[in-house]
Amino acid sequence: MMWVSKAEQNLNNFIRFLWMQNIYWLRMAVQSMIFDLPDAEVVNERLMQNPKDFEMAFQTFYGDENAAAFAELLTNHINLAIELVTAIMNADLTGASDAERRWYENAEEMATFLSSINPKWSEDDLQNMLQNHLEMITKAISDMMARNFSDSNMSFTNIERQTMDMADMMTYGIVNQFPEYFR
């Protein structure tokens, strides 16, 4: 049996909450775009709150500058996802290809940045995890756009599981980098 402190469990719950908020609001934003729902602007505004929430959470451990840098990378990640969906909806293959390329480059930048602020986070592991994350999101979006809702929901279920793993990996890294906060 593994024991974790209340502080570690609280951190893990919060990091999981933030990542789950990210994927839920992204899914809702994409649905609103694809199906031209009247809530698209409001949902997108809420989605864009998520990087600010991560910034606040990271300030304690990584300071204002690093927390803001991560929030900017996450904001770019979200904007590129929206740009990709928009290009696909407009049948702009060149724009979609460019947005997808930059989306993957952004994920690599995120992995490099995160591993630079926390030596307990492996850059390779982060890159693999983020690449898988983007592949799953792309599949869920493709299925949704094809109105294959059953497969889209299954893809989203896989995203949920993988997102929890990503949050757990981040928690593990923070706890091991700053053990004094989690005794």
Side-chain angles (χ1 to χ4, degrees):
M1 184 165 100
M2 186 173 165
W3 179 88
V4 297
S5 69
K6 184 175 182 177
E8 183 176 345
Q9 186 63 52
N10 287 341
L11 175 68
N12 191 238
N13 288 343
F14 192 59
I15 300 287
R16 282 180 162 207
F17 172 76
L18 292 175
W19 278 116
M20 294 304 280
Q21 289 282 301
N22 181 271
I23 64 166
Y24 286 128
W25 287 106
L26 178 61
R27 181 176 171 88
M28 286 185 269
V30 169
Q31 285 176 325
S32 294
M33 290 173 62
I34 292 171
F35 301 113
D36 196 27
L37 300 178
D39 68 347
E41 185 177 328
V42 173
V43 170
N44 195 52
E45 285 176 19
R46 174 56 186 87
L47 171 61
M48 297 312 292
Q49 177 61 43
N50 187 254
K52 295 172 188 162
D53 295 340
F54 265 103
E55 181 177 357
M56 188 258 329
F58 274 36
Q59 284 172 335
T60 300
F61 302 105
Y62 301 108
D64 293 346
E65 188 176 313
N66 285 329
F70 179 69
E72 183 178 339
L73 287 166
L74 189 55
T75 298
N76 291 340
H77 166 79
I78 293 166
N79 285 331
L80 288 165
I82 299 299
E83 186 179 328
L84 175 61
V85 172
T86 301
I88 293 169
M89 288 175 56
N90 293 329
D92 176 4
L93 298 179
T94 302
S97 178
D98 181 58
E100 185 174 39
R101 177 189 54 76
R102 291 182 290 124
W103 199 31
Y104 277 85
E105 286 173 359
N106 170 263
E108 288 177 15
E109 289 175 36
M110 287 175 74
T112 299
F113 174 76
L114 289 170
S115 67
S116 78
I117 64 171
N118 185 329
K120 305 296 183 180
W121 291 330
S122 158
E123 184 173 354
D124 289 340
D125 289 347
L126 286 165
Q127 283 184 355
N128 290 334
M129 191 168 279
L130 289 168
Q131 182 173 351
N132 290 339
H133 187 68
L134 298 184
E135 289 168 1
M136 286 189 276
I137 291 171
T138 301
K139 180 170 178 357
I141 290 169
S142 295
D143 290 337
M144 189 184 307
M145 292 181 86
R147 298 187 182 292
N148 188 348
F149 302 119
S150 180
D151 284 352
S152 179
N153 284 342
M154 181 55 69
S155 294
F156 190 73
T157 298
N158 292 333
I159 293 167
E160 287 176 313
R161 286 186 194 114
Q162 194 261 354
T163 298
M164 293 291 210
D165 290 342
M166 191 161 44
D168 293 348
M169 178 185 183
M170 291 185 90
T171 300
Y172 178 83
I174 293 170
V175 168
N176 284 289
Q177 185 180 19
F178 302 103
E180 64 275 14
Y181 293 121
F182 300 100
R183 293 188 175 119

